[in-house]
Amino acid sequence: MIDLRDANYFVTIAEAGSLALAAEKLGRTQPALTKCIQRLEDDLRVELFRHEGRQLVLTEAGDVFLVRMRSLLGSASEIRREIFDLGKGVVGSIKIGSAATTAEYMLPHLAAQLIDRAPGVTLELTVGMNDVLVRALVEKSIDLVFGPLTTLTSDGQKFESFSLATDDVVAVASKDHPIFERPVMLDSLSQFKWVLAGPAVATRQWLDNKFRSLGLEAPQVQMETSSIFLLPRLIAETKLLSFISRRNLALGAVGEHLREIPLDATVMRREFGIIRLREAYFTPAARLLIKIAEETKIKFNDVPSHATDSTF
């Protein structure tokens, strides 16, 4: 039987990659954490870590164990929350992961309505890239994701999703970029370098696939970034092409100094919505928030065209 405290210590050590850093974070001594690792390895009869210089690195067995322990801790947290909700008779808490567009222009209205109907509710918001948020959803560290509905989240057995709005993602550059010095053709896109999200992000995957389908060489990626808020300025300063929400280009928006590359072939239409993990505990607060979102869905396609985009 694995002790939940040992599971928590193991996950913290694995994420820190150092006993010293983990001890500082947990408020425990390094010898106490060493004993924790020894208990787990003795019980499992396998090494979970190996030393590489001063770093602790997971073994193959340790990698698998980390995934399982995150799931175990997530399930334990769900149980506590569910029993607390039943015992106290309150709406409870909700952990939300959101793309920046929804965080800035959809969630304020929804949160206001939720708090009005359930004043005792507590909210915890994480803003980030869609692939990171979906991974957190699977690990049960958040309850709901507000963001793009992708091929991954269309798995109806694993996820439940609720569509709220549509959005266009377009190729862009600074207004004085050389690409605009002559008529823009499709092959112009392969002649310049790009700043894009990582390969796991849905918009990057769509763009890569679109280039292949058009017979173009893959985008020359000079910079990959997970930064959400600095991207428009980065594009303008570096003379790199990028792929962002058209909403960013409106007057007064963060990307108003950028210009859309006028090619219909590279316009990606996507849906925004709410995603939840079917097997996860569906908190009363989460149920109420989704109900409110569905009641006000018609307003979301009127989101101002200058919303900030989180997934490029």
Side-chain angles (χ1 to χ4, degrees), residues 165-276:
T166 58
D167 181 54
D168 287 340
V169 186
V170 297
V172 300
S174 59
K175 290 183 178 180
D176 58 351
H177 194 282
I179 196 171
F180 299 118
E181 292 176 358
R182 60 185 67 87
V184 179
M185 309 295 289
L186 281 172
D187 59 5
S188 302
L189 301 176
S190 297
Q191 297 171 14
F192 299 96
K193 295 183 179 180
W194 294 69
V195 51
L196 293 171
V201 176
T203 47
R204 168 70 180 277
Q205 294 173 349
W206 186 93
L207 189 65
D208 286 347
N209 290 334
K210 175 59 69 170
F211 269 53
R212 283 193 289 270
S213 70
L214 294 171
L216 300 174
E217 294 183 13
Q220 300 180 62
V221 181
Q222 186 159 44
M223 184 182 299
E224 285 186 0
T225 177
S226 60
S227 172
I228 300 169
F229 303 106
L230 297 180
L231 185 66
R233 181 177 176 183
L234 191 64
I235 301 167
E237 295 289 338
T238 59
K239 302 296 185 189
L240 299 174
L241 307 185
S242 196
F243 196 52
I244 66 174
S245 172
R246 182 178 278 152
R247 301 176 189 274
N248 286 344
L249 309 180
L251 184 64
V254 292
E256 66 173 333
H257 44 283
L258 302 178
R259 179 178 172 186
E260 179 178 342
I261 299 171
L263 292 169
D264 291 340
T266 53
V267 176
M268 174 189 176
R269 171 60 60 92
R270 62 181 176 177
E271 285 185 280
F272 276 107
I274 308 174
I275 307 146
R276 66 173 295 267

Side-chain angles (χ1 to χ4, degrees), residues 2-293:
I2 295 172
D3 186 280
L4 287 177
R5 182 176 58 181
D6 281 350
N8 181 50
Y9 289 176
F10 168 79
V11 170
T12 304
I13 295 166
E15 291 176 345
S18 160
L19 282 176
L21 292 176
E24 183 179 350
K25 183 174 182 179
L26 292 166
R28 305 292 294 176
T29 65
Q30 292 187 49
L33 299 186
T34 299
K35 289 180 180 179
C36 166
I37 295 174
Q38 290 173 345
R39 281 194 299 272
L40 291 172
E41 291 183 337
D42 289 345
D43 183 43
L44 298 169
R45 299 180 184 180
V46 66
E47 288 189 349
L48 298 173
F49 293 97
R50 66 176 184 274
H51 288 274
E52 290 187 1
R54 296 184 179 181
Q55 289 289 104
L56 276 178
V57 179
L58 289 170
T59 63
E60 183 177 358
D63 280 326
V64 174
F65 193 61
L66 177 60
V67 173
R68 299 301 185 190
M69 289 305 94
R70 281 173 172 160
S71 178
L72 174 64
L73 292 172
S75 296
S77 177
E78 281 188 333
I79 292 169
R80 291 191 191 97
R81 294 172 67 195
E82 185 170 7
I83 299 305
F84 178 85
D85 289 347
L86 290 172
K88 296 296 182 180
V90 297
V91 173
S93 62
I94 178 170
K95 299 178 181 179
I96 301 168
S98 179
T101 299
T102 48
E104 188 173 356
Y105 290 96
M106 295 182 184
L107 280 180
H109 172 74
L110 295 177
Q113 295 242 356
L114 177 65
I115 292 171
D116 182 60
R117 296 194 195 184
V121 71
T122 59
L123 300 170
E124 182 178 326
L125 175 62
T126 300
V127 179
M129 290 288 187
N130 196 55
D131 59 325
V132 175
L133 296 176
V134 171
R135 185 162 60 247
L137 187 68
V138 172
E139 294 173 353
K140 300 181 181 178
S141 59
I142 57 177
D143 300 315
L144 300 173
V145 169
F146 279 69
L149 304 183
T150 65
T151 302
L152 173 62
T153 59
S154 67
D155 182 346
Q157 292 187 330
K158 190 171 186 178
F159 301 103
E160 184 177 16
S161 59
F162 310 84
S163 178
L164 298 178
T166 58
D167 181 54
D168 287 340
V169 186
V170 297
V172 300
S174 59
K175 290 183 178 180
D176 58 351
H177 194 282
I179 196 171
F180 299 118
E181 292 176 358
R182 60 185 67 87
V184 179
M185 309 295 289
L186 281 172
D187 59 5
S188 302
L189 301 176
S190 297
Q191 297 171 14
F192 299 96
K193 295 183 179 180
W194 294 69
V195 51
L196 293 171
V201 176
T203 47
R204 168 70 180 277
Q205 294 173 349
W206 186 93
L207 189 65
D208 286 347
N209 290 334
K210 175 59 69 170
F211 269 53
R212 283 193 289 270
S213 70
L214 294 171
L216 300 174
E217 294 183 13
Q220 300 180 62
V221 181
Q222 186 159 44
M223 184 182 299
E224 285 186 0
T225 177
S226 60
S227 172
I228 300 169
F229 303 106
L230 297 180
L231 185 66
R233 181 177 176 183
L234 191 64
I235 301 167
E237 295 289 338
T238 59
K239 302 296 185 189
L240 299 174
L241 307 185
S242 196
F243 196 52
I244 66 174
S245 172
R246 182 178 278 152
R247 301 176 189 274
N248 286 344
L249 309 180
L251 184 64
V254 292
E256 66 173 333
H257 44 283
L258 302 178
R259 179 178 172 186
E260 179 178 342
I261 299 171
L263 292 169
D264 291 340
T266 53
V267 176
M268 174 189 176
R269 171 60 60 92
R270 62 181 176 177
E271 285 185 280
F272 276 107
I274 308 174
I275 307 146
R276 66 173 295 267
L277 189 66
R278 285 191 181 276
E279 69 176 31
Y281 169 48
F282 203 1
T283 70
R287 291 178 186 273
L288 180 57
L289 183 58
I290 287 177
K291 180 181 179 183
I292 292 170

